[in-house]
Amino acid sequence: GAGVSQSPSNKVTEKGKDVELRCDPISGHTALYWYRQSLGQGLEFLIYFQGNSAPDKSGLPSDRFSAERTGGSVSTLTIQRTQQEDSAVYLCASSLEGRGPLGGELFFGEGSRLTVL
Amino acid sequence: GQQLNQSPQSMFIQEGEDVSMNCTSSSIFNTWLWYKQDPGEGPVLLIALYKAGELTSNGRLTAQFGITRKDSFLNISASIPSDVGIYFCAGQFPYAYSGAGSYQLTFGKGTKLSVIP
């Protein structure tokens, strides 16, 4: 597709369940980011992938959160044993490269809205 | 962690009025970006600034990269109803703050703009 694609667009789950969120970046974009947006808040950085380099996981809030990027393209964000405070919109973004002038021009998907009951 | 202070948090203006919002940081940035987020959508890049003092326009939008590299403003002239949304500033630091050498953006908390027809 032409843009960043995320699925599911909405996910309602029970506390304690695991969830997987998927991101398909723009073709040719080597950098991929996950952000979390809580109600009325800005975007909180979670994790960053750049090519074959080790991902920057410095933003992951706990060890219940993990992400992988297979084949340098599609990424999956996994939240284990979900808690109510995990409820948020999870945004994926990609860019041509992770640094330099073009690295900041992130293209975002529409997000996956997670609700933990 | 690094923080961006974005103000105002929200604005209610009459159609046709000009709008101004700004962001400040305690640290310098090498890139400032302004994004707009419509309801249910991911943020979309409006303007990117790469040099201190740079003033860039995109239609009715004008943004400047502060000379100290610690602030930026966004102006919208002659507002129209479709300007409604949340505007985010974002900055990219010149140095990596994690071992992985990532260049993730730090986002402000957003300015919610409402335009009264």
Side-chain angles (χ1 to χ4, degrees):
Chain A
V4 176
S5 178
Q6 290 188 246
S7 62
S9 54
N10 278 287
K11 175 72 176 179
V12 180
T13 189
E14 293 180 346
K15 177 181 174 181
K17 301 283 189 182
D18 298 351
V19 296
E20 285 190 351
L21 308 176
R22 175 190 166 103
C23 173
D24 197 346
I26 294 173
S27 178
H29 281 192
T30 59
L32 186 147
Y33 303 75
W34 284 97
Y35 283 84
R36 177 168 71 175
Q37 184 176 25
S38 301
L39 186 64
Q41 298 295 311
L43 281 72
E44 175 190 4
F45 167 76
L46 297 178
I47 190 169
Y48 157 81
F49 296 89
Q50 171 59 46
N52 296 321
S53 301
D56 176 5
K57 306 178 182 180
S58 61
L60 295 178
S62 77
D63 58 8
R64 296 187 295 105
F65 288 72
S66 63
E68 62 177 24
R69 188 180 185 190
T70 54
S73 181
V74 172
S75 176
T76 302
L77 176 69
T78 301
I79 309 173
Q80 295 178 311
R81 305 180 302 282
T82 52
Q83 304 294 313
Q84 288 182 333
E85 60 262 29
D86 298 336
S87 297
V89 175
Y90 290 82
L91 289 160
C92 176
S94 69
S95 69
L96 278 171
E97 58 179 88
R99 58 182 177 179
L102 297 180
E105 296 192 22
L106 303 187
F107 294 82
F108 285 85
E110 294 186 349
S112 291
R113 181 176 295 278
L114 174 65
T115 302
V116 182
L117 301 178
Chain B
Q2 308 300 326
Q3 289 190 356
L4 283 182
N5 295 311
Q6 184 171 352
S7 65
Q9 289 187 340
S10 63
M11 302 180 72
F12 288 83
I13 62 168
Q14 289 287 139
E15 182 178 356
E17 289 184 348
D18 297 344
V19 173
S20 184
M21 58 192 80
N22 69 85
C23 276
T24 59
S25 169
S26 57
S27 302
I28 62 172
F29 286 124
N30 65 345
T31 302
W32 278 98
L33 304 114
W34 286 92
Y35 284 83
K36 182 192 177 193
Q37 185 177 30
D38 291 327
E41 304 285 331
V44 174
L45 182 65
L46 298 174
I47 291 180
L49 303 159
Y50 302 113
K51 290 172 57 177
E54 181 179 357
L55 183 70
T56 297
S57 293
N58 178 7
R60 294 178 295 106
L61 306 179
T62 302
Q64 184 159 30
F65 191 143
I67 197 71
T68 64
R69 298 173 65 188
K70 293 183 178 181
D71 63 315
S72 177
F73 72 74
L74 174 71
N75 288 342
I76 305 173
S77 63
S79 58
I80 59 178
S82 61
D83 290 335
V84 165
I86 303 176
Y87 292 78
F88 291 100
C89 63
Q92 189 177 53
F93 294 99
Y95 306 106
Y97 279 82
S98 71
S102 71
Y103 295 81
Q104 71 272 17
L105 296 178
T106 297
F107 283 82
K109 292 192 174 182
T111 295
K112 186 175 182 180
L113 178 64
S114 300
V115 179
I116 305 168

